[in-house]
Every structure is written in C-alpha cells, then in structure tokens.
Amino acid sequence: MLRLWIPLLLSTALVFPAQATEPTADAVNTAELRKRPPAEDKTDPVAIRAQVLLDRAHVSPGEIDGRFGDNAQKALAAFAAAKGLKSGAKLTQELWAALTQQDQEPAIVSYRITKQDVKGPFLNPMPKKLEAMKDLPAIGYATPREALAEKFHMSEDLLSALNPGKAFDKADEEIFVANVVAFPENAKDGRAEKSKAKPESKAEFKDKKDQSKPKLAPITRLAINKDEGTVQAFDKDNHMVAFFPATVGSEEKPTPEGTFKVTSRDADPNYRYNPDYEFHGVKSQKPFTIKPGPNGPVGSYWISLSIGNGYGIHGTAEPSKVGKTESHGCVRMTNWDARFLGEHLAKKATVEMH
C-alpha cells in the first residue's frame, strides 16, 4: 500500500506518559516503548504508533483509538506469529523493535481537508432502526468528522485529541491523521509549500505510485475463528498475508461452521431485509431494501458466502464495536478492513469457519 507523507517537524522533547489523554503528532512519532506496555484503557502515544504500524503491515488492530485493547493485542499476536517470534499479545521490546525497524515512516502526518471531504450529504440525526432507513436515498456519514476518522481508520475521539480546536467541516483546514492511506493531492501540495519546489505532475505521481506500491498476493483462503473473533487471510502458498478482527455471529444467530466459498464481492451494496431473518426490533412482515452507505446495516462492503440465507462478510457503521458485540450471524469487520479484504480476494476463495 502506497503511503505518501508530509515531513513533520519532530521535536526531541520527551514523549507523553501513558496517562496522556491529548497526544500530539510529535509525541506519537517519537514514542518509544517503556518498561511497561501501553495500557488498555488510557490513550498512549506508544499504542497509537503501534496500532498504525500494525495497520500498515496488513495486521489490522481494527479502529485506531490509542488504547492497546483486545483487537490490538490480537493483531500483535498475529504479527508475532507471522514473524516467528515467541512474544504474543503483550508488546515487548522484541516486538516493538520488529515493528519499528521494518517501517520507519511517521505514524501521524498532516492532511489538508478537501472539498470532497466536507461535501456530504451528511445524515444527522442517524436513524437507529432498520425500518426508518428504507426510504432514505443513502445512509451516509453523520458528520465530516466521522467521515475523516473512518478515512484514516481512526476513532473520532482520537482524531479530535490530535487536533484540539480544529474544525473538521472546513476545506483546506490542516489536521493530523494516522498515516495509513495514500493521499497524493495533499502530499503533493504540502511538499511544494514546505520545500518551495516545483510541484510534481500527475504523471510523475502516477509513476511513483505504481513503482512504490507493495503488491499483496491474492488471498485464496480465509480462516475465521468464531470464538476468538479473528480472520486470517492466506495466499496460495499458505502464507498468512493479512489479519483482521471481526465479530462473528451470536448465541441467538450463530454463524454456521464448515468450509464455504466466496460467491461475490460488492462495494457500496444495497441491503435487502427479509422477514425470515427475524431480527429483534424489526416489525415489518414484508421485505424492504435499504440504499447503500457506510452507516447502513452492512456498511460499505459486502462479501457473499455459499452458506445461503444472507450470510456474508461485511462492514459496519460502528467500527469501535468490532470484536466486542454480537452480530446477526454474519462476519462483521470495519468498513476499511472489509473493503481491503474484498479487493484482494481471489475468485472463489475458500472460507473456513472454525
């Protein structure tokens, strides 16, 4: 994945302690692991940096929130296993070294909000019930802040903490974000302003992007652990190439076990509710359709499985709850993880539900 970034002026000041609740870009980018691993319930620059590095290594910690909770620990354990290291869910000096030495780009970069980011339309207040969504033209984001947070795989709280006093609804506003995606227009503009150099042409940017983008082998097999809430992705040589946290089924609507096939992949899908699903709180006795959108019932991406009766892998409107709440039987991931997975799946990939 290409990562173009704007150089930041990094200070040599001491990093914030674990209890810091308002981290800065400098604190995160210069953070080093102390004797104690980052806490699960407090924002920590070390945790932020580690989460960004895991995300860029295709070992997803889910939503980057600055707290080293269950999803980050699962990702770290998968990273350790892939590297053949003994350490697991606990962030040790050995694992910290492996993370930081293989990827030395800054974890936090500056980003200029675009007109597209604030264009909308935004849906606020957001309907809470499925039946209230069926007549809407789209189920978009509630606010520009929510859209920007999801664009950079972050929680809204962390985005706000990194940008105190900033407005997220104004184009051209400079903000700090997690360095997890490519944004060539902003990277180009920022570099030109800081260096006074001649901006690169679109062709030069395309060439650079094509040359530097790492290629991920097609994913031919998924191993989904229902109890642990994890999705492991393997290539044809049985090497794990990606990892994701997930919510898998519930006691009321458990996901079937067995081996299945991927039958289709759909970005920005419509959602069709069938009364046979018998979802709690839905009173309609007739089928209805909900238009696409990141805050829809299946988020912004859908992967159909050969299970039947509407089972699949999909995104969610609530990334903070992935791996922490129950689903209606499907495999629920963050929108960005579901899309990344779908875009790298081989045709008729095998899906094993354990």
Side-chain angles (χ1 to χ4, degrees):
M1 172 170 54
L2 175 65
R3 297 182 295 278
L4 300 174
W5 53 276
I6 306 170
L8 300 175
L9 296 177
L10 302 180
S11 70
T12 56
L14 294 176
V15 299
F16 278 34
Q19 61 268 28
T21 57
E22 296 184 358
T24 66
D26 285 354
V28 175
N29 288 334
T30 59
E32 292 296 340
L33 181 64
R34 301 168 294 275
K35 291 183 178 180
R36 296 181 180 178
E40 298 180 29
D41 58 350
K42 297 176 182 178
T43 304
D44 188 328
V46 170
I48 299 170
R49 189 179 178 194
Q51 286 177 309
V52 173
L53 291 173
L54 287 167
D55 184 292
R56 293 205 304 240
H58 307 313
V59 185
S60 174
E63 184 180 69
I64 297 170
D65 59 5
R67 302 179 179 188
F68 214 72
D70 289 344
N71 287 341
Q73 292 174 32
K74 291 175 187 176
L76 186 65
F79 176 81
K83 294 291 183 180
L85 301 176
K86 295 180 180 179
S87 304
K90 182 179 179 181
L91 188 57
T92 63
Q93 289 293 344
E94 182 184 33
L95 282 175
W96 179 254
L99 276 172
T100 56
Q101 288 174 8
Q102 76 165 17
D103 186 344
Q104 299 181 11
E105 292 186 19
I108 303 297
V109 293
S110 63
Y111 173 75
R112 181 177 298 146
I113 297 175
T114 69
K115 291 181 180 178
Q116 189 65 32
D117 290 326
V118 298
K119 182 179 180 181
F122 297 101
L123 187 59
N124 196 2
M126 185 69 60
K128 295 183 178 180
K129 294 188 176 182
L130 292 184
E131 287 154 305
M133 297 181 180
K134 64 183 181 180
D135 297 321
L136 297 174
I139 315 298
Y141 293 108
T143 64
R145 187 181 79 155
E146 182 191 22
L148 286 164
E150 181 155 310
K151 182 174 186 175
F152 296 103
H153 309 179
M154 305 167 67
S155 70
E156 291 187 62
D157 287 345
L158 179 58
L159 181 64
S160 293
L162 285 167
N163 299 281
K166 291 286 187 177
F168 300 105
D169 58 354
K170 295 181 180 179
D172 293 326
E173 181 83 273
E174 291 277 350
I175 60 173
F176 290 113
V177 299
N179 185 18
V180 293
V181 299
F183 37 96
E185 291 181 4
N186 288 298
K188 176 180 68 175
D189 293 343
R191 291 210 300 238
E193 288 178 5
K194 290 184 182 296
S195 67
K196 305 300 182 181
K198 180 181 178 182
E200 294 167 308
S201 68
K202 290 184 179 180
E204 289 173 326
F205 258 98
K206 184 178 186 301
D207 289 343
K208 187 172 291 185
K209 179 177 179 181
D210 292 343
Q211 291 171 7
S212 60
K213 185 176 182 180
K215 294 182 179 180
L216 190 73
I219 296 169
T220 60
R221 180 172 69 90
L222 297 178
I224 300 177
N225 189 306
K226 296 168 59 177
D227 293 335
E228 294 180 1
T230 60
V231 178
Q232 292 178 292
F234 298 86
D235 64 13
K236 63 181 180 61
D237 297 319
N238 207 35
H239 296 140
M240 192 187 80
V241 294
F243 171 93
F244 314 93
T247 294
V248 189
S250 65
E251 290 186 6
E252 180 185 1
K253 293 186 178 297
T255 304
E257 295 184 3
T259 301
F260 310 97
K261 290 287 186 181
V262 170
T263 57
S264 68
R265 297 165 291 173
D266 300 286
D268 303 314
N270 285 308
Y271 174 78
R272 182 171 174 77
Y273 177 75
N274 188 329
D276 292 342
Y277 297 162
E278 297 182 338
F279 288 172
H280 179 73
V282 181
K283 298 179 180 179
S284 177
Q285 298 301 310
K286 295 182 179 180
F288 58 85
T289 298
I290 297 175
K291 297 295 196 305
N295 277 322
V298 293
S300 58
Y301 208 92
W302 172 265
I303 301 169
S304 290
L305 304 179
S306 60
I307 301 176
N309 200 29
Y311 284 103
I313 302 170
H314 62 81
T316 180
E318 298 178 296
S320 64
K321 294 184 178 180
V322 168
K324 302 171 186 178
T325 58
E326 297 183 333
S327 74
H328 286 125
C330 290
V331 179
R332 183 189 302 159
M333 306 166 66
T334 66
N335 281 332
W336 56 88
D337 283 344
R339 184 178 294 271
F340 180 87
L341 174 60
E343 290 175 349
H344 289 86
L345 277 174
K347 290 184 179 180
K348 297 183 179 181
T350 299
V351 179
E352 300 170 355
M353 297 278 193
H354 301 292

